[in-house]
Amino acid sequence: MQSIEAIFGLVMLLAGATIYQWVDEDGNRHYSDRKPDVEQFVEVELDEGSISTYRAVPTPAPAENGEGPENAGAAGPETPERAARSNAAARRDELERYCNDLLEDLDAVQDQLRRGYREPRGQQLRDRRRELRAAYRRECV
């Protein structure tokens, strides 16, 4: 439920709209971009830094233009330029996989934090999230 609230909050933040929050008589928290019909509500100020926007980007399918590994020797002998390009492409692919793994790990930690925890597990999760964010910023941005 909190992830839905975060996504909703992000959409509303990007749209530049005012967000209203209120609690109904059953204790359920509600959010809307329209002013509610209840007397007790709050206009929510969103802090962009508190909204998690990390999501892994799907890896595109391999191109079907004959450049795949199965056709590696079909275009002639390996030249130094071709070897350098293939090494650079392999490094890029490896970095992309590493960055996607970091994002997936970060999402998993964030989901665990949203589900709730007991100390000291919460601090361990926050520390892990901090490490993953630092690694992502250092290696992938």
Side-chain angles (χ1 to χ4, degrees):
M1 184 64 174
Q2 289 177 347
S3 62
I4 293 171
E5 293 171 358
I7 291 170
F8 178 73
L10 179 62
V11 169
M12 297 309 292
L13 175 69
L14 295 175
T18 303
I19 299 174
Y20 300 96
Q21 172 188 339
W22 71 96
V23 178
D24 65 14
E25 55 275 350
D26 295 327
N28 297 317
R29 185 175 298 159
H30 299 274
Y31 294 90
S32 177
D33 60 341
R34 297 187 185 126
K35 201 169 191 178
D37 294 332
V38 297
E39 291 181 23
Q40 297 285 331
F41 64 89
V42 181
E43 287 188 26
V44 177
E45 293 291 325
L46 292 177
D47 174 22
E48 290 182 50
S50 67
I51 299 174
S52 174
T53 58
Y54 292 106
R55 289 289 170 219
V57 178
T59 306
E64 295 183 19
N65 58 3
E67 295 180 7
E70 63 277 0
N71 296 325
E78 185 77 15
T79 64
E81 294 83 19
R82 177 182 269 171
R85 278 195 305 263
S86 66
N87 286 340
R91 283 192 301 272
R92 267 194 319 274
D93 291 345
E94 184 177 337
L95 179 62
E96 184 178 346
R97 282 191 298 275
Y98 174 72
C99 292
N100 285 340
D101 289 345
L102 283 174
L103 291 176
E104 288 174 7
D105 291 348
L106 189 57
D107 283 341
V109 168
Q110 192 66 33
D111 288 343
Q112 289 176 17
L113 282 165
R114 286 187 189 119
R115 281 194 298 263
Y117 48 82
R118 291 189 183 160
E119 294 301 335
R121 181 69 179 145
Q123 188 59 45
Q124 293 167 347
L125 289 169
R126 287 187 292 276
D127 290 343
R128 179 70 177 141
R129 179 178 60 188
R130 190 172 22 262
E131 292 168 4
L132 289 168
R133 283 180 176 168
Y136 184 81
R137 288 182 190 127
R138 184 178 57 247
E139 303 290 332
C140 304
V141 177

